[in-house]
Amino acid sequence: MSMIRDLRAAVRPALRRARAASDYDTTRDPSVTSAVVDCGVYRDGKRVSDHVSPARAMERVREEGGFAWIGLHEPTEREFAGIAQEFGLHPLAVEDAVQAHQRPKLERYDDTLFTVFKTIHYVEHAELTSTSEVVETGEVMCFTGRNFIVTVRHGGQGSLRALRHRLQQDPELLAKGPSAVLHAIADQVVDGYLAVADAVQDDIDEVEIDVFSAATSRRGGDAGRIYQLKREVLEFKRAVAPLLRPMQLLSERPMRLVDPDIQTYFRDVADHLARVSEQVLAFDDLLNSILQANLAQATVAQNEDMRKITSWAAIFAVPTMIAGIYGMNFDYMPELRWKFGYPTVLVVTVGICFAIHRGFKRNGWL
């Protein structure tokens, strides 16, 4: 995991510059920082400007109306300082947006809503192992104002480019303002949860089948794989559970910054989120049961091994005892001088061992 983080940290600056270059003609506006991946002004549901800086976008909004949508990817404190000042963002929210690693939440600072979403991406793997990474998390933070929305994205997943293009094809919805964008982002994040939940369900089914299969039950399954999957489900749970309250507030409590028509759409997102939350809780309980069953099978297998060892020890105790008796140096021992004493002792020994073996076999110990 640490190697992956180090590699990402090394390639992020180059990726960021590449994204910025592909979305912007920076020669037109040198003030655009490398953290900005897109900046546009929208009026009546249509995009009316491109290749502008956040400051110029807000100028046009104040002069002509509409709203500005600025998208950033992993900005530094210096890169975000100008934008925070331009839009009057609260320092505490700005600090959270720059540092990332926040829990999902909804906070209000004066005339700005600060919303944090955790994005979840399912990591494809040929085979689930005790070190497999099942889910990868990222963050999308939204500053929603009366005439602007600033989105800050952390992590390699959760790109909003396709979402922006899709919204631009629905002018009627986009005309509702920044709250329409906030809803679309929440909807995309929760839809991602649904897709990941289905994929994780397949992994859990695979582990469950493996644990209860005849071949695996003899060796007690693989507790490492189950525990790793449980850790990944816990990561999933940390993204889903804290978001329930913010979605409930956005869908039920009237807010000046949320269009009443859009609030109805938030109810649908809240319903989907509640369903995912129930699934994740069920995953956790199911994995606990699978882990307990796996440990129980391991205990049963150990008991079976101990019974086999005990049975063979009892069988070998018979010839050991007889050999020990006849190994004593006494002059007067039964059948010591008898011609057929030796083969008789061997036959008796084998007979007793066979009888004990048959008894253990009949009782299921061997």
Side-chain angles (χ1 to χ4, degrees), residues 40-49 64-69 163-178 180-181:
V41 176
Y42 297 86
R43 191 178 307 114
D44 298 325
K46 298 180 181 179
R47 184 163 178 152
V48 296
S49 71
E64 305 169 11
F67 72 94
W69 181 0
L163 172 65
R164 187 187 290 261
H165 292 162
R166 188 167 65 251
L167 279 175
Q168 289 172 178
Q169 294 173 4
D170 190 356
E172 185 177 352
L173 180 61
L174 198 54
K176 299 293 183 181
V181 179

Side-chain angles (χ1 to χ4, degrees), residues 133-151:
E133 185 179 17
V134 179
V135 295
E136 183 181 17
T137 61
E139 291 178 49
V140 176
M141 305 175 183
C142 302
F143 295 87
T144 309
R146 182 178 57 83
N147 54 7
F148 69 87
I149 180 165
V150 178
T151 56

Side-chain angles (χ1 to χ4, degrees), residues 120 134-135 196-197 200-201 203-204 226-241 277 279-287:
I120 298 289
V134 179
V135 295
V196 172
V200 171
Q201 178 69 68
D203 280 338
I204 294 176
I226 302 171
Y227 188 69
Q228 176 65 14
L229 191 54
K230 186 172 174 59
R231 285 175 60 91
E232 297 296 308
V233 167
L234 179 60
E235 190 72 21
F236 194 3
K237 184 178 179 181
R238 287 172 180 165
V240 174
S277 179
Q279 281 185 281
V280 174
L281 290 175
F283 291 163
D284 197 28
D285 292 340
L286 182 57
L287 284 171

Side-chain angles (χ1 to χ4, degrees), residues 88-156:
L89 306 180
H90 196 280
L92 291 177
V94 171
E95 182 182 356
D96 289 345
V98 171
Q99 293 181 355
H101 303 296
Q102 305 297 317
R103 72 192 302 268
K105 60 183 177 180
L106 172 65
E107 295 177 343
R108 181 171 179 175
Y109 296 96
D110 299 326
D111 291 331
T112 304
L113 287 179
F114 177 58
T115 316
V116 178
F117 301 97
K118 268 196 176 296
T119 58
I120 298 289
H121 170 69
Y122 180 76
V123 180
E124 296 290 344
H125 43 265
E127 182 182 0
L128 181 66
T129 66
S130 59
T131 58
S132 294
E133 185 179 17
V134 179
V135 295
E136 183 181 17
T137 61
E139 291 178 49
V140 176
M141 305 175 183
C142 302
F143 295 87
T144 309
R146 182 178 57 83
N147 54 7
F148 69 87
I149 180 165
V150 178
T151 56
V152 181
R153 186 166 60 87
H154 290 269

Side-chain angles (χ1 to χ4, degrees), residues 20 23 36 44 48 58 96 107 122 179 199 209-210 237 244 259 299 334 350-351:
D23 291 341
V36 178
D44 298 325
V48 296
M58 281 307 296
D96 289 345
E107 295 177 343
Y122 180 76
S179 60
I209 291 171
D210 187 43
K237 184 178 179 181
L244 289 169
D259 189 283
T299 303
V350 172

Side-chain angles (χ1 to χ4, degrees), residues 222-224 226-227 230 286-296:
D222 189 348
I226 302 171
Y227 188 69
K230 186 172 174 59
L286 182 57
L287 284 171
N288 282 336
S289 300
I290 294 174
L291 185 59
Q292 289 174 1
N294 177 76
L295 295 177

Side-chain angles (χ1 to χ4, degrees), residues 310-328:
T310 303
S311 300
W312 284 112
I315 292 172
F316 284 114
V318 173
T320 302
M321 180 186 69
I322 295 175
I325 291 174
Y326 278 90
M328 297 179 183

